[in-house]
Amino acid sequence: MASQSFDMIVIGAGPGGYVAAIRGAQLGLKVAIVEREHMGGICLNWGCIPTKAMLRSSEVFHLMHRAKEFGLKAEGIGYDLDAVVKRSRNVAKQLNSGVGHLLKKNKVTAIMGEATLPAKGRVSVKTDKGTEELSARHIVLATGARARELPGLEADGDLVWTYKHALKPPHMPKKLLVIGSGAIGIEFASFYNTLGAETTVVEVMDRILPVEDAEISALARKAFTKQGMKIMEKAMVKQLDRAKGRVTAHIESGGEVEKHDFDTVISAVGIVGNTEGLGLEELGVKVDRTHVVTDEYCRTGVEGLYAIGDIAGAPWLAHKASHEGVMVAELIAGGHPHPVRPDAIAGCTYCHPQLASVGLTEARAKEAGYDIKVGRFPFIGNGKAIALGEPEGMVKTVFDAKTGELLGAHMIGAEVTELIQGYVVGRTLETTEEDLMNTVFPHPTLSEMMHESVLDAYGRVIHI
C-alpha cells in the first residue's frame, strides 16, 4: 500500500490529540489522527464527562431528599441505576460523535486502528482492512493512560472494579470499598454513597485528597464522614480474598491488619501511561515510570516527536492535555506559543461538596520559602450560599506577603469548580491582591466569597 504523507500525525484522539489535530488543521497543516478505540478518548467516553453526568443524577437525588427544607414535597423518592447509567452513556455518545464531526469539518484524516512508530517520521497503523503506512515530519503522541492495577488487587469486573466498571455497574454495591482517595476514587465514593451504598475509603497517605490543601482535605473528610462514609487514612489494602458475591479485604492500619467484608471494590490507585507497543525505546525516547520525558514544549528529544497529556506526566487533567495540544500544533506551524505552566492549571473534583484549587497550597508556599498572607471566607457568611441551602464550605487564598502575588487558591463547597476560573485568570494575568480587592464582584453570588477571602488575607474582610 502506498504511504500517505502528512505535515503532522497525532496518535490518540482524546482531549489532547483531537484538539492538537484540529488546531494543526486550522493553521493550514495537513493532519492525520489515529485512534484505536473511541473518538474523544477516556475523558469523553469513560472519564470526565460520563462521571459528571452520573454525579449530577446523585446530586439531584440528594436534593430531592431535602425537598422539605425548600418548602417542597417529594414522595416515594427512588432511582433506577440502569436509567442513570443510560443517561450518562448517551451524554458520552453525543459528545463522541461531536468529535468525529469536528475532525471532519476541519478536514483532518481520521484513521481507526493501532499505531506503531517503525522509524523516525513514520507511523504504521493496523486497521480492520490491513496496514496503512503514514509519514510526517511531526508526530504527536497523545496515547493517554489507563488505571494502575496493583498485584492481587486486579479488577475482575464483578467484585473488583476499575473506573470503567464503575461507570457501567453490573450491580448496585451494598457495601463498597474504594481504594484510593484522589479525584477518581472520591467521585465514585460520593456517587455510590449518595445512592445508599455503605462506603469505606482507604487512603495510604496521611489524609484523603492528598494533593489538596490540608485544611480543605480536613473539611472534605468532615463532610464525607457526616454523609456516612467511613474514611481510613494511613491505611493499605494488603490483599483481597474473593468468594461468591463477597470480597474480604485485609486492611493494614496502625500496624494492625483487620479483615472487612464488602460486595464491591473500586480500585482507584493512580494511572499508568500508555507507552508500550509503540516502538518508543527503539527511537530513543526516554520513558520514566511509564511517562514520556519531555521539555516544557512537550518535545521528547527525538526530532519531530512530541508527547502531550497523560502520557507526558502530571497533572493528569484533560484541560492540560488540550492546552498542550494547541501549543504543540502552533509550534509545529512555526508559531511562538507560551509553554503550559502546570502551576496555573486548576484541579477540580466533582464530589459532594465539590473541590477546586490552583497554584500552591499553604504548606507548599511555606516550603518554597515565601512569607505568606492567608485569607479564608466561609460559605455560611455568604447570602447566595444560604439562599441555595449550601452553607458548608470555604474559600482560601494564599498570597506572597512581599509582592501581593496570588500564589494559590483552594475551595470546597457548592459550584467551586466553576468559581475557581476567576483565580486562574488572575494568576495568568499576574494579579496582585490590590487588583482583586478593587474588582467589583456581583451580588448576590457565590463569587463574592472570592473577594472576601482576599480581603481577609489583608485584614479587611467585611462579612465575618
Side-chain angles (χ1 to χ4, degrees), residues 59 216 219-220 223 349-356 378-379 385 388 390-395 410-419 446 449:
E59 187 185 355
I216 300 291
L219 287 171
T349 308
Y350 297 78
C351 45
H352 186 83
Q354 294 182 2
L355 292 101
F379 270 54
L388 286 175
E390 299 285 358
E392 284 177 27
M394 182 174 79
V395 176
H410 311 276
M411 311 183 188
I412 179 168
E415 300 304 334
V416 294
T417 55
E418 297 291 343
L419 294 178
L446 297 174
M449 291 185 281

Short mmCIF file of all heavy atoms in Angstrom, two decimals, residues 59 216 219-220 223 349-356 378-379 385 388 390-395 410-419 446 449:
data_model
loop_
_atom_site.label_atom_id
_atom_site.label_comp_id
_atom_site.label_asym_id
_atom_site.label_seq_id
_atom_site.Cartn_x
_atom_site.Cartn_y
_atom_site.Cartn_z
N GLU A 59 -26.62 14.09 42.67
CA GLU A 59 -26.81 15.41 43.27
C GLU A 59 -28.30 15.77 43.31
O GLU A 59 -28.83 16.24 44.32
CB GLU A 59 -26.04 16.45 42.43
CG GLU A 59 -25.99 17.84 43.00
CD GLU A 59 -25.30 18.82 42.03
OE1 GLU A 59 -24.78 18.41 40.96
OE2 GLU A 59 -25.30 20.01 42.35
N ILE A 216 -8.43 22.12 53.44
CA ILE A 216 -9.55 21.76 52.56
C ILE A 216 -9.82 20.25 52.67
O ILE A 216 -10.97 19.81 52.77
CB ILE A 216 -9.26 22.18 51.09
CG1 ILE A 216 -9.04 23.70 51.00
CG2 ILE A 216 -10.36 21.69 50.15
CD1 ILE A 216 -10.25 24.58 51.23
N LEU A 219 -11.76 19.54 55.79
CA LEU A 219 -13.18 19.89 55.65
C LEU A 219 -13.92 18.84 54.82
O LEU A 219 -15.07 18.49 55.11
CB LEU A 219 -13.33 21.27 55.02
CG LEU A 219 -12.99 22.47 55.92
CD1 LEU A 219 -12.97 23.76 55.11
CD2 LEU A 219 -13.96 22.61 57.08
N ALA A 220 -13.25 18.33 53.79
CA ALA A 220 -13.85 17.30 52.94
C ALA A 220 -14.09 16.03 53.77
O ALA A 220 -15.18 15.43 53.71
CB ALA A 220 -12.94 16.98 51.76
N ALA A 223 -17.09 16.46 55.96
CA ALA A 223 -18.34 16.39 55.18
C ALA A 223 -18.68 14.96 54.79
O ALA A 223 -19.83 14.52 54.91
CB ALA A 223 -18.22 17.27 53.94
N THR A 349 -12.61 18.53 41.59
CA THR A 349 -13.17 17.24 41.98
C THR A 349 -14.67 17.43 42.22
O THR A 349 -15.06 18.32 42.97
CB THR A 349 -12.47 16.70 43.25
OG1 THR A 349 -11.06 16.72 43.03
CG2 THR A 349 -12.90 15.28 43.57
N TYR A 350 -15.48 16.60 41.55
CA TYR A 350 -16.93 16.85 41.49
C TYR A 350 -17.71 15.99 42.48
O TYR A 350 -18.83 15.58 42.20
CB TYR A 350 -17.41 16.62 40.06
CG TYR A 350 -16.78 17.59 39.10
CD1 TYR A 350 -15.47 17.39 38.64
CD2 TYR A 350 -17.46 18.72 38.67
CE1 TYR A 350 -14.87 18.30 37.78
CE2 TYR A 350 -16.86 19.63 37.80
CZ TYR A 350 -15.57 19.41 37.37
OH TYR A 350 -14.97 20.31 36.53
N CYS A 351 -17.13 15.72 43.63
CA CYS A 351 -17.83 15.01 44.68
C CYS A 351 -18.83 15.99 45.31
O CYS A 351 -18.98 17.11 44.86
CB CYS A 351 -16.84 14.50 45.72
SG CYS A 351 -15.61 15.73 46.20
N HIS A 352 -19.47 15.57 46.38
CA HIS A 352 -20.37 16.48 47.10
C HIS A 352 -19.84 16.63 48.51
O HIS A 352 -19.85 15.67 49.23
CB HIS A 352 -21.79 15.89 47.11
CG HIS A 352 -22.79 16.84 47.69
ND1 HIS A 352 -23.37 17.85 46.96
CD2 HIS A 352 -23.28 16.96 48.94
CE1 HIS A 352 -24.19 18.54 47.75
NE2 HIS A 352 -24.14 18.01 48.94
N PRO A 353 -19.34 17.75 48.96
CA PRO A 353 -19.19 19.03 48.26
C PRO A 353 -18.05 19.00 47.23
O PRO A 353 -17.14 18.17 47.35
CB PRO A 353 -18.84 20.00 49.41
CG PRO A 353 -18.15 19.13 50.43
CD PRO A 353 -18.78 17.78 50.33
N GLN A 354 -18.12 19.91 46.26
CA GLN A 354 -17.07 20.00 45.24
C GLN A 354 -15.78 20.59 45.82
O GLN A 354 -15.80 21.32 46.81
CB GLN A 354 -17.52 20.91 44.09
CG GLN A 354 -18.68 20.38 43.29
CD GLN A 354 -19.06 21.30 42.14
OE1 GLN A 354 -18.43 22.32 41.91
NE2 GLN A 354 -20.09 20.94 41.42
N LEU A 355 -14.65 20.26 45.14
CA LEU A 355 -13.36 20.86 45.49
C LEU A 355 -12.72 21.43 44.25
O LEU A 355 -12.88 20.89 43.16
CB LEU A 355 -12.41 19.80 46.06
CG LEU A 355 -12.78 19.23 47.42
CD1 LEU A 355 -13.43 17.87 47.23
CD2 LEU A 355 -11.57 19.09 48.30
N ALA A 356 -11.98 22.54 44.42
CA ALA A 356 -11.27 23.13 43.29
C ALA A 356 -10.07 23.89 43.83
O ALA A 356 -10.12 24.50 44.89
CB ALA A 356 -12.17 24.08 42.52
N PRO A 378 -15.88 31.69 54.86
CA PRO A 378 -16.79 30.53 54.91
C PRO A 378 -18.07 30.77 54.12
O PRO A 378 -18.56 31.89 54.05
CB PRO A 378 -17.10 30.43 56.42
CG PRO A 378 -17.04 31.85 56.90
CD PRO A 378 -16.01 32.56 56.04
N PHE A 379 -18.63 29.70 53.57
CA PHE A 379 -19.90 29.77 52.83
C PHE A 379 -21.02 30.32 53.71
O PHE A 379 -21.92 30.99 53.23
CB PHE A 379 -20.28 28.37 52.30
CG PHE A 379 -19.74 28.07 50.92
CD1 PHE A 379 -18.38 28.19 50.63
CD2 PHE A 379 -20.60 27.66 49.92
CE1 PHE A 379 -17.90 27.91 49.36
CE2 PHE A 379 -20.12 27.37 48.64
CZ PHE A 379 -18.77 27.50 48.36
N ALA A 385 -25.10 31.54 49.14
CA ALA A 385 -24.90 30.16 49.63
C ALA A 385 -26.04 29.76 50.56
O ALA A 385 -26.56 28.64 50.48
CB ALA A 385 -23.56 30.04 50.34
N LEU A 388 -29.21 29.23 48.60
CA LEU A 388 -29.15 27.96 47.87
C LEU A 388 -29.31 26.76 48.79
O LEU A 388 -29.47 25.63 48.33
CB LEU A 388 -27.79 27.83 47.15
CG LEU A 388 -27.54 28.66 45.91
CD1 LEU A 388 -26.11 28.48 45.44
CD2 LEU A 388 -28.51 28.30 44.79
N GLU A 390 -26.80 25.87 50.77
CA GLU A 390 -25.46 25.27 50.71
C GLU A 390 -24.50 26.04 51.61
O GLU A 390 -23.55 26.67 51.14
CB GLU A 390 -24.93 25.31 49.26
CG GLU A 390 -25.76 24.54 48.25
CD GLU A 390 -25.59 23.03 48.33
OE1 GLU A 390 -24.79 22.55 49.16
OE2 GLU A 390 -26.27 22.34 47.56
N PRO A 391 -24.73 26.02 52.93
CA PRO A 391 -23.92 26.87 53.81
C PRO A 391 -22.58 26.27 54.23
O PRO A 391 -21.86 26.87 55.02
CB PRO A 391 -24.83 27.05 55.03
CG PRO A 391 -25.61 25.77 55.08
CD PRO A 391 -25.80 25.31 53.66
N GLU A 392 -22.24 25.08 53.70
CA GLU A 392 -20.98 24.44 54.11
C GLU A 392 -19.92 24.62 53.05
O GLU A 392 -20.13 24.29 51.89
CB GLU A 392 -21.21 22.95 54.38
CG GLU A 392 -21.91 22.72 55.71
CD GLU A 392 -22.21 21.26 55.95
OE1 GLU A 392 -21.47 20.41 55.40
OE2 GLU A 392 -23.18 20.97 56.66
N GLY A 393 -18.76 25.12 53.47
CA GLY A 393 -17.66 25.28 52.53
C GLY A 393 -16.78 26.45 52.89
O GLY A 393 -17.04 27.18 53.86
N MET A 394 -15.72 26.62 52.09
CA MET A 394 -14.76 27.68 52.38
C MET A 394 -13.97 28.03 51.13
O MET A 394 -13.72 27.18 50.28
CB MET A 394 -13.79 27.22 53.47
CG MET A 394 -12.78 28.29 53.86
SD MET A 394 -11.74 27.81 55.25
CE MET A 394 -10.54 26.76 54.46
N VAL A 395 -13.60 29.30 51.04
CA VAL A 395 -12.66 29.76 50.02
C VAL A 395 -11.41 30.22 50.75
O VAL A 395 -11.49 30.97 51.72
CB VAL A 395 -13.26 30.94 49.20
CG1 VAL A 395 -12.23 31.47 48.21
CG2 VAL A 395 -14.52 30.50 48.47
N HIS A 410 -7.82 27.78 47.06
CA HIS A 410 -8.33 26.44 47.38
C HIS A 410 -9.75 26.57 47.91
O HIS A 410 -10.01 27.39 48.78
CB HIS A 410 -7.43 25.79 48.43
CG HIS A 410 -5.98 25.88 48.06
ND1 HIS A 410 -5.38 24.98 47.21
CD2 HIS A 410 -5.06 26.83 48.33
CE1 HIS A 410 -4.12 25.37 46.99
NE2 HIS A 410 -3.91 26.49 47.65
N MET A 411 -10.66 25.77 47.35
CA MET A 411 -12.06 25.92 47.72
C MET A 411 -12.74 24.58 47.92
O MET A 411 -12.39 23.59 47.27
CB MET A 411 -12.83 26.61 46.60
CG MET A 411 -12.23 27.86 46.04
SD MET A 411 -13.43 28.46 44.80
CE MET A 411 -12.49 29.75 44.06
N ILE A 412 -13.74 24.61 48.79
CA ILE A 412 -14.63 23.45 48.95
C ILE A 412 -16.04 23.99 49.12
O ILE A 412 -16.23 24.98 49.83
CB ILE A 412 -14.19 22.56 50.14
CG1 ILE A 412 -15.15 21.36 50.31
CG2 ILE A 412 -14.08 23.35 51.46
CD1 ILE A 412 -14.66 20.29 51.26
N GLY A 413 -17.02 23.38 48.44
CA GLY A 413 -18.40 23.82 48.57
C GLY A 413 -19.12 23.79 47.22
O GLY A 413 -18.56 23.36 46.22
N ALA A 414 -20.36 24.28 47.23
CA ALA A 414 -21.21 24.25 46.03
C ALA A 414 -20.59 25.06 44.89
O ALA A 414 -20.16 26.20 45.10
CB ALA A 414 -22.59 24.81 46.37
N GLU A 415 -20.54 24.45 43.72
CA GLU A 415 -20.13 25.12 42.47
C GLU A 415 -18.73 25.70 42.45
O GLU A 415 -18.42 26.55 41.61
CB GLU A 415 -21.15 26.21 42.07
CG GLU A 415 -22.56 25.69 41.84
CD GLU A 415 -22.65 24.58 40.80
OE1 GLU A 415 -21.80 24.49 39.91
OE2 GLU A 415 -23.60 23.77 40.90
N VAL A 416 -17.86 25.27 43.34
CA VAL A 416 -16.49 25.84 43.34
C VAL A 416 -15.72 25.47 42.09
O VAL A 416 -14.79 26.19 41.69
CB VAL A 416 -15.68 25.46 44.62
CG1 VAL A 416 -16.30 26.09 45.85
CG2 VAL A 416 -15.53 23.95 44.76
N THR A 417 -16.12 24.38 41.41
CA THR A 417 -15.42 24.00 40.17
C THR A 417 -15.63 25.06 39.09
O THR A 417 -14.81 25.21 38.19
CB THR A 417 -15.90 22.63 39.67
OG1 THR A 417 -17.32 22.65 39.53
CG2 THR A 417 -15.51 21.52 40.63
N GLU A 418 -16.73 25.79 39.18
CA GLU A 418 -16.98 26.90 38.24
C GLU A 418 -16.30 28.19 38.72
O GLU A 418 -15.84 29.00 37.93
CB GLU A 418 -18.49 27.16 38.08
CG GLU A 418 -19.27 26.00 37.47
CD GLU A 418 -18.94 25.76 36.00
OE1 GLU A 418 -18.38 26.65 35.35
OE2 GLU A 418 -19.25 24.66 35.50
N LEU A 419 -16.25 28.37 40.04
CA LEU A 419 -15.69 29.61 40.60
C LEU A 419 -14.18 29.72 40.41
O LEU A 419 -13.65 30.82 40.22
CB LEU A 419 -15.99 29.71 42.10
CG LEU A 419 -17.44 29.87 42.53
CD1 LEU A 419 -17.52 29.90 44.05
CD2 LEU A 419 -18.05 31.14 41.96
N LEU A 446 -22.06 33.52 44.69
CA LEU A 446 -21.05 32.77 45.44
C LEU A 446 -19.68 33.41 45.23
O LEU A 446 -18.81 33.35 46.09
CB LEU A 446 -21.02 31.31 44.99
CG LEU A 446 -22.29 30.48 45.23
CD1 LEU A 446 -22.16 29.11 44.59
CD2 LEU A 446 -22.58 30.33 46.72
N MET A 449 -17.50 35.48 47.71
CA MET A 449 -16.61 34.86 48.71
C MET A 449 -15.16 34.93 48.26
O MET A 449 -14.25 34.96 49.07
CB MET A 449 -17.01 33.41 48.94
CG MET A 449 -18.34 33.27 49.65
SD MET A 449 -18.69 31.56 50.04
CE MET A 449 -19.25 30.95 48.47
#
